[in-house]
Amino acid sequence: MDRSSEFDKMRHVASLELMMEWMPSPYESQEINRLTLAHFAISGLAILGALDQIDKDRVINWVLSLRAQPKDKAELEKGEFYGFHGSRSSQFDRHDGKDLVPNGSHLASTYCALAILRIIGYDLSSMDSESIITSMRQLQQHDGSFTPIHLGAETDLRFVYCAAAICFMFNNWTGMDREKAKEYILRCQSYDGGFGLVPGSESHGGGTYCAVAALRLMGFIEADILSKSTLWTTINVPLLLEWCIQRQGVDGGFQGRANKASDTCYAFWVGGVLKILGAYHFLDKNALRRFLLSCESQYGGFQKFPEDATPDLYHSYYGLAALSLLEEPGLVPLCVELGIPSPEII
């Protein structure tokens, strides 16, 4: 079989099924991110149209068990974030000397939890979202950015995106000041058209996706904006488009930054931006598909680079997501802005 031209769907299904039950020892260091790893595996199976391979009730109960809950309304007002923990271990009571360390629920883990629940058909409107939305609002900083935990941490476009996705999935925008978030995003657009993760930083494929997808979720840019006659007053679209197109290399893959090697995941991060803008037809789809299949592992899943020896869950998911954007036969289409398979189609 010529693996440069054929996509082995069932090999990926088998690989992700195995990951759902047993993970290789190198993932031990990622135990704190167990919910994120589950998101990649479950969402990958969803793209492959294989959700019937998982016990949905078991997954729902496990995800909901990772939620942080305030004891009462007074506790909710103390400034902690009440989202989802990344794993069981982060739910343990921890002490720093004599003081109890508050809960460690995380904005990215909360996005992953809601994404999983949405994908497998759980009705998010049945969830009491008040504690999540109310406490998330306290994570927004004066400049419009978000910190992922209430104890203080890095602030960048990743967490602005997570906040926007959470509000969108709950259909409740009281959890953030959209105008302030928009202004922060606009300050992250670089001179070359891409977006850095923070204002003044180098343009980055992941940061650019977070910026454009968040603006779309928040309603500040239209879908397929290139086909509209409206003026581009929110972001510099022509410069952004040029930066994205320049990220496709001679090998067909996409790089995340200038002068970097092509990497499987950026086929989604940068390709997703082009899809949102209505500019996906500008890339060389055949060359991109050849690059992605050159990163397909014999064990199932995708490697970061063609020459890597083994796949990983992160690149496996975004490799499948990129092939879905390419409309690979047998794969479920994506809700590009949320970065997950479309539940309406699933």
mmCIF file of all heavy atoms in Angstrom, residues 59-101:
data_model
loop_
_atom_site.group_PDB
_atom_site.id
_atom_site.type_symbol
_atom_site.label_atom_id
_atom_site.label_comp_id
_atom_site.label_asym_id
_atom_site.label_seq_id
_atom_site.Cartn_x
_atom_site.Cartn_y
_atom_site.Cartn_z
ATOM 1 N N VAL A 59 -18.437 8.369 30.269
ATOM 2 C CA VAL A 59 -17.641 9.575 29.998
ATOM 3 C C VAL A 59 -18.296 10.797 30.622
ATOM 4 O O VAL A 59 -17.633 11.624 31.260
ATOM 5 C CB VAL A 59 -17.462 9.768 28.482
ATOM 6 C CG1 VAL A 59 -16.847 11.139 28.191
ATOM 7 C CG2 VAL A 59 -16.582 8.674 27.901
ATOM 8 N N ILE A 60 -19.602 10.932 30.459
ATOM 9 C CA ILE A 60 -20.316 12.080 31.027
ATOM 10 C C ILE A 60 -20.139 12.132 32.539
ATOM 11 O O ILE A 60 -19.826 13.185 33.115
ATOM 12 C CB ILE A 60 -21.817 12.020 30.663
ATOM 13 C CG1 ILE A 60 -22.006 12.316 29.170
ATOM 14 C CG2 ILE A 60 -22.615 13.009 31.506
ATOM 15 C CD1 ILE A 60 -23.423 12.062 28.673
ATOM 16 N N ASN A 61 -20.329 11.000 33.207
ATOM 17 C CA ASN A 61 -20.200 10.965 34.671
ATOM 18 C C ASN A 61 -18.778 11.314 35.100
ATOM 19 O O ASN A 61 -18.581 12.013 36.101
ATOM 20 C CB ASN A 61 -20.599 9.587 35.197
ATOM 21 C CG ASN A 61 -22.087 9.316 35.056
ATOM 22 O OD1 ASN A 61 -22.891 10.251 35.045
ATOM 23 N ND2 ASN A 61 -22.468 8.049 34.947
ATOM 24 N N TRP A 62 -17.789 10.820 34.358
ATOM 25 C CA TRP A 62 -16.396 11.117 34.710
ATOM 26 C C TRP A 62 -16.091 12.593 34.534
ATOM 27 O O TRP A 62 -15.497 13.225 35.416
ATOM 28 C CB TRP A 62 -15.454 10.284 33.847
ATOM 29 C CG TRP A 62 -14.009 10.596 34.092
ATOM 30 C CD1 TRP A 62 -13.265 10.303 35.197
ATOM 31 C CD2 TRP A 62 -13.129 11.311 33.195
ATOM 32 N NE1 TRP A 62 -11.975 10.773 35.053
ATOM 33 C CE2 TRP A 62 -11.865 11.382 33.838
ATOM 34 C CE3 TRP A 62 -13.290 11.863 31.931
ATOM 35 C CZ2 TRP A 62 -10.773 12.021 33.242
ATOM 36 C CZ3 TRP A 62 -12.204 12.487 31.331
ATOM 37 C CH2 TRP A 62 -10.954 12.565 31.987
ATOM 38 N N VAL A 63 -16.510 13.170 33.414
ATOM 39 C CA VAL A 63 -16.241 14.591 33.175
ATOM 40 C C VAL A 63 -16.923 15.452 34.237
ATOM 41 O O VAL A 63 -16.306 16.343 34.827
ATOM 42 C CB VAL A 63 -16.714 15.008 31.763
ATOM 43 C CG1 VAL A 63 -16.638 16.528 31.600
ATOM 44 C CG2 VAL A 63 -15.871 14.326 30.691
ATOM 45 N N LEU A 64 -18.183 15.177 34.514
ATOM 46 C CA LEU A 64 -18.911 15.977 35.507
ATOM 47 C C LEU A 64 -18.314 15.838 36.902
ATOM 48 O O LEU A 64 -18.406 16.769 37.715
ATOM 49 C CB LEU A 64 -20.385 15.583 35.525
ATOM 50 C CG LEU A 64 -21.189 15.915 34.259
ATOM 51 C CD1 LEU A 64 -22.626 15.425 34.399
ATOM 52 C CD2 LEU A 64 -21.162 17.423 33.986
ATOM 53 N N SER A 65 -17.677 14.704 37.179
ATOM 54 C CA SER A 65 -17.069 14.497 38.498
ATOM 55 C C SER A 65 -15.841 15.382 38.704
ATOM 56 O O SER A 65 -15.379 15.551 39.837
ATOM 57 C CB SER A 65 -16.675 13.032 38.687
ATOM 58 O OG SER A 65 -15.514 12.693 37.923
ATOM 59 N N LEU A 66 -15.315 15.959 37.616
ATOM 60 C CA LEU A 66 -14.131 16.809 37.713
ATOM 61 C C LEU A 66 -14.482 18.280 37.898
ATOM 62 O O LEU A 66 -13.602 19.132 37.947
ATOM 63 C CB LEU A 66 -13.275 16.647 36.452
ATOM 64 C CG LEU A 66 -12.639 15.265 36.256
ATOM 65 C CD1 LEU A 66 -11.972 15.176 34.896
ATOM 66 C CD2 LEU A 66 -11.628 14.976 37.351
ATOM 67 N N ARG A 67 -15.748 18.578 38.034
ATOM 68 C CA ARG A 67 -16.165 19.971 38.179
ATOM 69 C C ARG A 67 -15.943 20.479 39.599
ATOM 70 O O ARG A 67 -16.191 19.762 40.576
ATOM 71 C CB ARG A 67 -17.640 20.126 37.816
ATOM 72 C CG ARG A 67 -18.109 21.566 37.853
ATOM 73 C CD ARG A 67 -19.537 21.718 37.373
ATOM 74 N NE ARG A 67 -19.981 23.089 37.526
ATOM 75 C CZ ARG A 67 -21.200 23.526 37.229
ATOM 76 N NH1 ARG A 67 -22.096 22.671 36.738
ATOM 77 N NH2 ARG A 67 -21.531 24.792 37.403
ATOM 78 N N ALA A 68 -15.457 21.703 39.697
ATOM 79 C CA ALA A 68 -15.300 22.362 41.006
ATOM 80 C C ALA A 68 -16.602 23.084 41.335
ATOM 81 O O ALA A 68 -17.149 23.787 40.481
ATOM 82 C CB ALA A 68 -14.140 23.347 40.964
ATOM 83 N N GLN A 69 -17.070 22.908 42.558
ATOM 84 C CA GLN A 69 -18.337 23.514 42.959
ATOM 85 C C GLN A 69 -18.154 24.344 44.226
ATOM 86 O O GLN A 69 -17.551 23.874 45.191
ATOM 87 C CB GLN A 69 -19.378 22.421 43.233
ATOM 88 C CG GLN A 69 -19.766 21.607 42.010
ATOM 89 C CD GLN A 69 -20.884 22.247 41.208
ATOM 90 O OE1 GLN A 69 -21.132 23.439 41.323
ATOM 91 N NE2 GLN A 69 -21.566 21.454 40.408
ATOM 92 N N PRO A 70 -18.664 25.579 44.233
ATOM 93 C CA PRO A 70 -18.623 26.362 45.479
ATOM 94 C C PRO A 70 -19.625 25.802 46.487
ATOM 95 O O PRO A 70 -20.648 25.225 46.095
ATOM 96 C CB PRO A 70 -19.032 27.765 45.013
ATOM 97 C CG PRO A 70 -19.915 27.515 43.829
ATOM 98 C CD PRO A 70 -19.331 26.306 43.137
ATOM 99 N N LYS A 71 -19.318 25.942 47.770
ATOM 100 C CA LYS A 71 -20.221 25.429 48.791
ATOM 101 C C LYS A 71 -21.497 26.256 48.866
ATOM 102 O O LYS A 71 -22.578 25.745 49.132
ATOM 103 C CB LYS A 71 -19.521 25.430 50.150
ATOM 104 C CG LYS A 71 -18.339 24.469 50.220
ATOM 105 C CD LYS A 71 -17.647 24.562 51.571
ATOM 106 C CE LYS A 71 -16.431 23.637 51.620
ATOM 107 N NZ LYS A 71 -15.703 23.769 52.920
ATOM 108 N N ASP A 72 -21.353 27.558 48.633
ATOM 109 C CA ASP A 72 -22.508 28.449 48.677
ATOM 110 C C ASP A 72 -22.206 29.709 47.868
ATOM 111 O O ASP A 72 -21.099 29.855 47.314
ATOM 112 C CB ASP A 72 -22.862 28.819 50.125
ATOM 113 C CG ASP A 72 -21.651 29.288 50.921
ATOM 114 O OD1 ASP A 72 -20.843 30.073 50.367
ATOM 115 O OD2 ASP A 72 -21.499 28.871 52.078
ATOM 116 N N LYS A 73 -23.156 30.620 47.777
ATOM 117 C CA LYS A 73 -22.993 31.828 46.981
ATOM 118 C C LYS A 73 -21.900 32.722 47.542
ATOM 119 O O LYS A 73 -21.187 33.391 46.790
ATOM 120 C CB LYS A 73 -24.314 32.589 46.904
ATOM 121 C CG LYS A 73 -24.331 33.671 45.842
ATOM 122 C CD LYS A 73 -25.726 34.172 45.573
ATOM 123 C CE LYS A 73 -25.715 35.171 44.425
ATOM 124 N NZ LYS A 73 -27.099 35.643 44.109
ATOM 125 N N ALA A 74 -21.745 32.721 48.852
ATOM 126 C CA ALA A 74 -20.711 33.548 49.476
ATOM 127 C C ALA A 74 -19.324 33.090 49.039
ATOM 128 O O ALA A 74 -18.432 33.903 48.760
ATOM 129 C CB ALA A 74 -20.833 33.498 50.993
ATOM 130 N N GLU A 75 -19.132 31.790 48.955
ATOM 131 C CA GLU A 75 -17.840 31.255 48.517
ATOM 132 C C GLU A 75 -17.579 31.597 47.052
ATOM 133 O O GLU A 75 -16.434 31.832 46.652
ATOM 134 C CB GLU A 75 -17.809 29.738 48.718
ATOM 135 C CG GLU A 75 -16.429 29.134 48.514
ATOM 136 C CD GLU A 75 -16.362 27.676 48.905
ATOM 137 O OE1 GLU A 75 -16.981 26.846 48.224
ATOM 138 O OE2 GLU A 75 -15.691 27.372 49.897
ATOM 139 N N LEU A 76 -18.646 31.658 46.264
ATOM 140 C CA LEU A 76 -18.519 31.993 44.850
ATOM 141 C C LEU A 76 -17.964 33.395 44.654
ATOM 142 O O LEU A 76 -17.315 33.687 43.649
ATOM 143 C CB LEU A 76 -19.881 31.860 44.170
ATOM 144 C CG LEU A 76 -19.954 32.148 42.669
ATOM 145 C CD1 LEU A 76 -19.062 31.189 41.895
ATOM 146 C CD2 LEU A 76 -21.396 32.039 42.183
ATOM 147 N N GLU A 77 -18.194 34.246 45.610
ATOM 148 C CA GLU A 77 -17.776 35.645 45.501
ATOM 149 C C GLU A 77 -16.381 35.907 46.053
ATOM 150 O O GLU A 77 -15.931 37.048 46.106
ATOM 151 C CB GLU A 77 -18.803 36.537 46.206
ATOM 152 C CG GLU A 77 -20.186 36.478 45.560
ATOM 153 C CD GLU A 77 -21.245 37.216 46.356
ATOM 154 O OE1 GLU A 77 -20.918 37.664 47.487
ATOM 155 O OE2 GLU A 77 -22.379 37.345 45.874
ATOM 156 N N LYS A 78 -15.673 34.860 46.451
ATOM 157 C CA LYS A 78 -14.341 35.037 47.037
ATOM 158 C C LYS A 78 -13.230 35.165 46.000
ATOM 159 O O LYS A 78 -12.082 35.397 46.354
ATOM 160 C CB LYS A 78 -14.035 33.877 47.988
ATOM 161 C CG LYS A 78 -14.866 33.895 49.264
ATOM 162 C CD LYS A 78 -14.461 32.748 50.174
ATOM 163 C CE LYS A 78 -15.259 32.775 51.477
ATOM 164 N NZ LYS A 78 -14.887 31.645 52.386
ATOM 165 N N GLY A 79 -13.560 34.970 44.731
ATOM 166 C CA GLY A 79 -12.563 35.177 43.688
ATOM 167 C C GLY A 79 -11.996 33.931 43.061
ATOM 168 O O GLY A 79 -11.205 34.006 42.122
ATOM 169 N N GLU A 80 -12.372 32.736 43.576
ATOM 170 C CA GLU A 80 -11.877 31.507 42.973
ATOM 171 C C GLU A 80 -12.628 31.204 41.676
ATOM 172 O O GLU A 80 -13.750 31.671 41.470
ATOM 173 C CB GLU A 80 -12.044 30.329 43.937
ATOM 174 C CG GLU A 80 -11.179 30.415 45.173
ATOM 175 C CD GLU A 80 -11.235 29.136 45.995
ATOM 176 O OE1 GLU A 80 -11.418 28.061 45.391
ATOM 177 O OE2 GLU A 80 -11.083 29.222 47.235
ATOM 178 N N PHE A 81 -11.997 30.413 40.816
ATOM 179 C CA PHE A 81 -12.645 29.987 39.574
ATOM 180 C C PHE A 81 -13.248 28.601 39.784
ATOM 181 O O PHE A 81 -12.566 27.676 40.232
ATOM 182 C CB PHE A 81 -11.638 29.954 38.424
ATOM 183 C CG PHE A 81 -12.209 29.408 37.138
ATOM 184 C CD1 PHE A 81 -13.403 29.912 36.629
ATOM 185 C CD2 PHE A 81 -11.564 28.390 36.443
ATOM 186 C CE1 PHE A 81 -13.949 29.400 35.451
ATOM 187 C CE2 PHE A 81 -12.089 27.879 35.269
ATOM 188 C CZ PHE A 81 -13.290 28.389 34.773
ATOM 189 N N TYR A 82 -14.517 28.457 39.447
ATOM 190 C CA TYR A 82 -15.210 27.186 39.616
ATOM 191 C C TYR A 82 -15.557 26.596 38.256
ATOM 192 O O TYR A 82 -16.702 26.643 37.808
ATOM 193 C CB TYR A 82 -16.449 27.369 40.493
ATOM 194 C CG TYR A 82 -16.081 27.666 41.925
ATOM 195 C CD1 TYR A 82 -16.048 28.978 42.409
ATOM 196 C CD2 TYR A 82 -15.728 26.626 42.782
ATOM 197 C CE1 TYR A 82 -15.684 29.238 43.714
ATOM 198 C CE2 TYR A 82 -15.358 26.881 44.101
ATOM 199 C CZ TYR A 82 -15.335 28.196 44.561
ATOM 200 O OH TYR A 82 -14.961 28.456 45.847
ATOM 201 N N GLY A 83 -14.524 26.075 37.599
ATOM 202 C CA GLY A 83 -14.701 25.390 36.332
ATOM 203 C C GLY A 83 -14.461 23.903 36.507
ATOM 204 O O GLY A 83 -14.994 23.284 37.429
ATOM 205 N N PHE A 84 -13.609 23.329 35.656
ATOM 206 C CA PHE A 84 -13.298 21.910 35.726
ATOM 207 C C PHE A 84 -11.816 21.707 36.015
ATOM 208 O O PHE A 84 -10.968 22.442 35.513
ATOM 209 C CB PHE A 84 -13.649 21.212 34.412
ATOM 210 C CG PHE A 84 -15.123 20.988 34.220
ATOM 211 C CD1 PHE A 84 -15.940 22.017 33.792
ATOM 212 C CD2 PHE A 84 -15.685 19.737 34.471
ATOM 213 C CE1 PHE A 84 -17.302 21.817 33.612
ATOM 214 C CE2 PHE A 84 -17.043 19.523 34.290
ATOM 215 C CZ PHE A 84 -17.856 20.567 33.856
ATOM 216 N N HIS A 85 -11.540 20.681 36.825
ATOM 217 C CA HIS A 85 -10.168 20.272 37.092
ATOM 218 C C HIS A 85 -9.631 19.491 35.897
ATOM 219 O O HIS A 85 -10.380 18.835 35.177
ATOM 220 C CB HIS A 85 -10.101 19.392 38.335
ATOM 221 C CG HIS A 85 -10.459 20.108 39.592
ATOM 222 N ND1 HIS A 85 -9.526 20.771 40.360
ATOM 223 C CD2 HIS A 85 -11.654 20.267 40.228
ATOM 224 C CE1 HIS A 85 -10.124 21.301 41.418
ATOM 225 N NE2 HIS A 85 -11.412 21.017 41.356
ATOM 226 N N GLY A 86 -8.312 19.539 35.727
ATOM 227 C CA GLY A 86 -7.700 18.807 34.634
ATOM 228 C C GLY A 86 -7.576 17.324 34.881
ATOM 229 O O GLY A 86 -7.436 16.532 33.942
ATOM 230 N N SER A 87 -7.665 16.905 36.151
ATOM 231 C CA SER A 87 -7.538 15.485 36.487
ATOM 232 C C SER A 87 -8.009 15.292 37.921
ATOM 233 O O SER A 87 -8.284 16.257 38.647
ATOM 234 C CB SER A 87 -6.089 15.023 36.355
ATOM 235 O OG SER A 87 -5.286 15.604 37.372
ATOM 236 N N ARG A 88 -8.081 14.034 38.320
ATOM 237 C CA ARG A 88 -8.495 13.728 39.685
ATOM 238 C C ARG A 88 -7.481 14.265 40.699
ATOM 239 O O ARG A 88 -7.851 14.754 41.766
ATOM 240 C CB ARG A 88 -8.648 12.209 39.844
ATOM 241 C CG ARG A 88 -9.237 11.784 41.169
ATOM 242 C CD ARG A 88 -10.729 12.124 41.246
ATOM 243 N NE ARG A 88 -11.508 11.368 40.271
ATOM 244 C CZ ARG A 88 -12.543 11.861 39.587
ATOM 245 N NH1 ARG A 88 -12.916 13.119 39.770
ATOM 246 N NH2 ARG A 88 -13.208 11.111 38.725
ATOM 247 N N SER A 89 -6.197 14.190 40.374
ATOM 248 C CA SER A 89 -5.184 14.602 41.350
ATOM 249 C C SER A 89 -5.276 16.082 41.675
ATOM 250 O O SER A 89 -4.942 16.497 42.790
ATOM 251 C CB SER A 89 -3.779 14.265 40.825
ATOM 252 O OG SER A 89 -3.496 14.959 39.635
ATOM 253 N N SER A 90 -5.736 16.911 40.728
ATOM 254 C CA SER A 90 -5.823 18.343 41.022
ATOM 255 C C SER A 90 -7.018 18.677 41.900
ATOM 256 O O SER A 90 -7.181 19.818 42.333
ATOM 257 C CB SER A 90 -5.895 19.153 39.720
ATOM 258 O OG SER A 90 -7.140 18.970 39.075
ATOM 259 N N GLN A 91 -7.861 17.679 42.179
ATOM 260 C CA GLN A 91 -8.986 17.889 43.090
ATOM 261 C C GLN A 91 -8.610 17.678 44.550
ATOM 262 O O GLN A 91 -9.366 18.040 45.441
ATOM 263 C CB GLN A 91 -10.136 16.936 42.735
ATOM 264 C CG GLN A 91 -10.837 17.271 41.432
ATOM 265 C CD GLN A 91 -11.974 16.304 41.153
ATOM 266 O OE1 GLN A 91 -11.772 15.101 41.092
ATOM 267 N NE2 GLN A 91 -13.173 16.827 40.988
ATOM 268 N N PHE A 92 -7.448 17.073 44.787
ATOM 269 C CA PHE A 92 -7.046 16.796 46.160
ATOM 270 C C PHE A 92 -6.809 18.105 46.909
ATOM 271 O O PHE A 92 -6.282 19.072 46.354
ATOM 272 C CB PHE A 92 -5.756 15.975 46.200
ATOM 273 C CG PHE A 92 -5.873 14.623 45.557
ATOM 274 C CD1 PHE A 92 -4.748 13.986 45.057
ATOM 275 C CD2 PHE A 92 -7.093 13.977 45.457
ATOM 276 C CE1 PHE A 92 -4.842 12.733 44.461
ATOM 277 C CE2 PHE A 92 -7.207 12.729 44.872
ATOM 278 C CZ PHE A 92 -6.076 12.106 44.375
ATOM 279 N N ASP A 93 -7.176 18.131 48.173
ATOM 280 C CA ASP A 93 -6.860 19.276 49.014
ATOM 281 C C ASP A 93 -5.352 19.370 49.176
ATOM 282 O O ASP A 93 -4.690 18.387 49.505
ATOM 283 C CB ASP A 93 -7.511 19.139 50.393
ATOM 284 C CG ASP A 93 -9.014 19.355 50.341
ATOM 285 O OD1 ASP A 93 -9.482 19.964 49.360
ATOM 286 O OD2 ASP A 93 -9.704 18.909 51.270
ATOM 287 N N ARG A 94 -4.815 20.546 48.915
ATOM 288 C CA ARG A 94 -3.371 20.736 49.040
ATOM 289 C C ARG A 94 -3.103 21.829 50.074
ATOM 290 O O ARG A 94 -3.867 22.780 50.200
ATOM 291 C CB ARG A 94 -2.763 21.142 47.693
ATOM 292 C CG ARG A 94 -2.919 20.081 46.618
ATOM 293 C CD ARG A 94 -2.335 20.550 45.298
ATOM 294 N NE ARG A 94 -3.072 21.675 44.761
ATOM 295 C CZ ARG A 94 -2.541 22.827 44.390
ATOM 296 N NH1 ARG A 94 -1.242 23.021 44.529
ATOM 297 N NH2 ARG A 94 -3.285 23.794 43.909
ATOM 298 N N HIS A 95 -2.007 21.660 50.776
ATOM 299 C CA HIS A 95 -1.659 22.630 51.800
ATOM 300 C C HIS A 95 -0.269 23.196 51.545
ATOM 301 O O HIS A 95 0.662 22.477 51.210
ATOM 302 C CB HIS A 95 -1.699 21.985 53.192
ATOM 303 C CG HIS A 95 -3.077 21.592 53.628
ATOM 304 N ND1 HIS A 95 -3.881 22.403 54.385
ATOM 305 C CD2 HIS A 95 -3.800 20.471 53.366
ATOM 306 C CE1 HIS A 95 -5.032 21.795 54.606
ATOM 307 N NE2 HIS A 95 -5.015 20.620 53.995
ATOM 308 N N ASP A 96 -0.162 24.488 51.654
ATOM 309 C CA ASP A 96 1.121 25.176 51.546
ATOM 310 C C ASP A 96 1.469 25.646 52.956
ATOM 311 O O ASP A 96 1.032 26.700 53.400
ATOM 312 C CB ASP A 96 1.008 26.368 50.589
ATOM 313 C CG ASP A 96 2.334 27.075 50.401
ATOM 314 O OD1 ASP A 96 3.352 26.539 50.880
ATOM 315 O OD2 ASP A 96 2.355 28.164 49.801
ATOM 316 N N GLY A 97 2.249 24.823 53.661
ATOM 317 C CA GLY A 97 2.486 25.112 55.074
ATOM 318 C C GLY A 97 1.223 24.825 55.852
ATOM 319 O O GLY A 97 0.707 23.720 55.862
ATOM 320 N N LYS A 98 0.653 25.863 56.457
ATOM 321 C CA LYS A 98 -0.554 25.697 57.250
ATOM 322 C C LYS A 98 -1.809 26.098 56.482
ATOM 323 O O LYS A 98 -2.928 25.850 56.945
ATOM 324 C CB LYS A 98 -0.449 26.546 58.524
ATOM 325 C CG LYS A 98 0.691 26.126 59.450
ATOM 326 C CD LYS A 98 0.712 27.004 60.686
ATOM 327 C CE LYS A 98 1.841 26.593 61.634
ATOM 328 N NZ LYS A 98 1.885 27.443 62.843
ATOM 329 N N ASP A 99 -1.640 26.738 55.331
ATOM 330 C CA ASP A 99 -2.789 27.266 54.609
ATOM 331 C C ASP A 99 -3.263 26.302 53.524
ATOM 332 O O ASP A 99 -2.462 25.708 52.799
ATOM 333 C CB ASP A 99 -2.439 28.612 53.957
ATOM 334 C CG ASP A 99 -2.058 29.661 54.992
ATOM 335 O OD1 ASP A 99 -2.694 29.659 56.065
ATOM 336 O OD2 ASP A 99 -1.148 30.466 54.722
ATOM 337 N N LEU A 100 -4.568 26.173 53.399
ATOM 338 C CA LEU A 100 -5.155 25.346 52.365
ATOM 339 C C LEU A 100 -5.040 26.054 51.021
ATOM 340 O O LEU A 100 -5.387 27.222 50.896
ATOM 341 C CB LEU A 100 -6.632 25.077 52.685
ATOM 342 C CG LEU A 100 -7.419 24.240 51.657
ATOM 343 C CD1 LEU A 100 -6.888 22.816 51.645
ATOM 344 C CD2 LEU A 100 -8.912 24.259 51.994
ATOM 345 N N VAL A 101 -4.527 25.358 50.031
ATOM 346 C CA VAL A 101 -4.427 25.930 48.692
ATOM 347 C C VAL A 101 -5.786 25.786 48.009
ATOM 348 O O VAL A 101 -6.345 24.695 47.951
ATOM 349 C CB VAL A 101 -3.346 25.199 47.860
ATOM 350 C CG1 VAL A 101 -3.300 25.750 46.446
ATOM 351 C CG2 VAL A 101 -1.993 25.351 48.541
#
